[in-house]
Amino acid sequence: MSSDPHRVAILVYDGVKLLDVAGPAEVFGEANLLGAAYRIALLSTTGADVTSSIGMRIAVDGSAATHTDPDTLLVPGGDIYPRTPVTRDLAEATGDLAARAGRVASVCSGAFVLGATGLLDGRRATTHWKIAGELATRHPKARVEPDAIYVRDGAMYTSAGVTAGIDLALALVEADHGPDLSREVARSLVVYLQRAGGQSQFSAPLQGSPPRSPALRRVVDLVTADPAGDYSLAALAGRLNVSTRHLTRLFREELGTTPARYVESIRFDIAKSLLDQRHTATQAASMAGFPSYESLRRVFARELSISPAAYQRRFATARREQDG
């Protein structure tokens, strides 16, 4: 690996989300322990310290205007965007640093800061799914992809919310040092071994609010740990030490579904993840706990109106575009 430091400038501002800063910074810092040479600098528009969205003060290393040209510029998000317009000084500082950077990245609503500079015009981009529509409205020249964890368009990277910034940083490390180091960083940080950019932000068990009942939350843990296990109504009730009638009532009252349909939704999400990881549809069906490929195909047809193979082809296309 090169001994020359790779300069990462993280542009912070009042109201910035702390995890959007700390998550990627930890990835780069962990990579340094494994042989990389990232030099991280926190910058603000004036060089003054800033206050995060939770009130914690963030000490900065200097101002955007006077800092050395960065190899990577990272703009984190903040809860203030898109509620308020991006300030002129932040947009100008971003534009100045971006013009001097080798590549530019944003986390979550940091995409609005990039958009305010015109950097997203004519490019593919993403942000948190809740505000993706607003990003598309404000910046109609950008091609917003609301369902991606992160999007790469040339030397421009944008990502979804909060923890997706860790996926983004892992992708940057992989681009610099290859997949082996990126995987080692992920293992060290005990995070997912790395979700690809084209993978959906959405997860079947996570689309609604988490179950209030400990018994129902336990169902997610059980199925995720062993997707192919026996989760018939009787088996679930036995493992949760409740009656089948009580368990059925909990699902109906709290989630508006049946135990069987909820287990199927978790398996469906696992199967999608396995397809994203390039397992065959038959392998994904078996590993996710479906009794056959045909049963998985029926769920895909009902939920997405496409086959597992078509879903995988679409994901592979998105991945090639990310890597291109």
Side-chain angles (χ1 to χ4, degrees):
M1 297 181 186
S2 173
S3 59
D4 295 334
H6 182 112
R7 298 179 298 275
V8 178
I10 303 179
L11 184 58
V12 296
Y13 47 87
D14 286 332
V16 72
K17 187 174 286 292
L18 191 61
L19 186 56
D20 286 6
V21 179
E26 283 288 351
V27 169
F28 295 127
E30 195 69 27
N32 286 346
L33 298 178
L34 297 168
Y38 292 103
R39 181 177 296 169
I40 304 167
L42 300 182
L43 307 177
S44 66
T45 57
T46 64
D49 295 348
V50 302
T51 303
S52 75
S53 60
I54 59 172
M56 291 184 63
R57 195 163 188 81
I58 300 176
V60 305
D61 300 299
S63 71
T66 61
H67 188 69
T68 306
D69 294 356
D71 297 297
T72 296
L73 167 64
L74 178 67
V75 182
D79 294 335
I80 60 173
Y81 303 124
R83 289 188 290 105
T84 62
V86 176
T87 60
R88 176 178 294 182
D89 62 337
L90 181 57
E92 290 178 350
T94 301
D96 173 60
L97 283 168
R100 296 188 277 124
R103 65 186 174 196
V104 178
S106 68
V107 181
C108 197
S109 62
F112 286 85
V113 181
L114 299 187
T117 70
L119 287 168
L120 298 185
D121 290 355
R123 293 183 180 273
R124 296 164 50 246
T126 195
T127 187
H128 192 287
W129 63 269
K130 285 186 177 180
I131 53 177
E134 180 65 23
L135 182 67
T137 298
R138 291 197 187 186
H139 305 289
K141 294 182 181 179
R143 301 192 299 277
V144 178
E145 299 183 6
D147 194 19
I149 289 175
Y150 68 84
V151 167
R152 176 189 176 189
D153 189 322
M156 182 77 65
Y157 293 74
T158 52
S159 78
V162 288
T163 58
I166 294 175
D167 296 289
L168 172 65
L170 287 168
L172 297 177
V173 170
E174 180 172 342
D176 295 335
H177 298 290
D180 290 343
L181 181 66
S182 179
R183 283 194 291 268
E184 284 302 310
V185 172
R187 290 190 186 99
S188 295
L189 295 177
V190 198
V191 297
Y192 188 95
L193 289 177
Q194 164 197 356
R195 297 180 294 178
Q199 187 171 329
S200 173
Q201 292 183 36
F202 304 108
S203 171
L206 299 179
Q207 285 180 5
S209 300
R212 296 186 304 273
S213 166
L216 299 189
R217 290 197 297 269
R218 177 68 175 147
V219 171
V220 179
D221 295 337
L222 288 170
V223 181
T224 302
D226 181 19
D230 178 9
Y231 302 111
S232 63
L233 177 59
L236 274 178
R239 297 184 72 170
L240 299 175
N241 198 29
V242 297
S243 70
T244 57
R245 183 176 180 180
H246 177 65
L247 185 60
T248 301
R249 185 174 68 252
L250 281 177
F251 271 97
R252 183 179 63 250
E253 293 178 352
E254 187 168 338
L255 299 177
T257 189
T258 65
R261 181 56 64 89
Y262 193 67
V263 169
E264 182 184 75
S265 73
I266 299 172
R267 286 172 165 163
F268 174 59
D269 189 54
I270 293 169
K272 285 194 298 180
S273 178
L274 291 166
L275 290 170
D276 293 346
Q277 296 169 41
R278 304 183 184 181
H279 291 280
T280 68
T282 301
Q283 290 171 334
S286 176
M287 295 167 69
F290 285 90
S292 66
Y293 165 76
E294 182 59 29
S295 62
L296 175 63
R297 189 196 65 77
R298 285 196 296 268
V299 176
F300 264 81
R302 185 185 71 231
E303 298 295 332
L304 300 178
S305 299
I306 58 174
S307 68
Y311 171 87
Q312 191 171 51
R313 285 195 300 271
R314 186 171 67 180
F315 175 80
T317 299
R319 179 165 47 213
R320 284 194 295 271
E321 289 175 352
Q322 301 280 356
D323 296 339

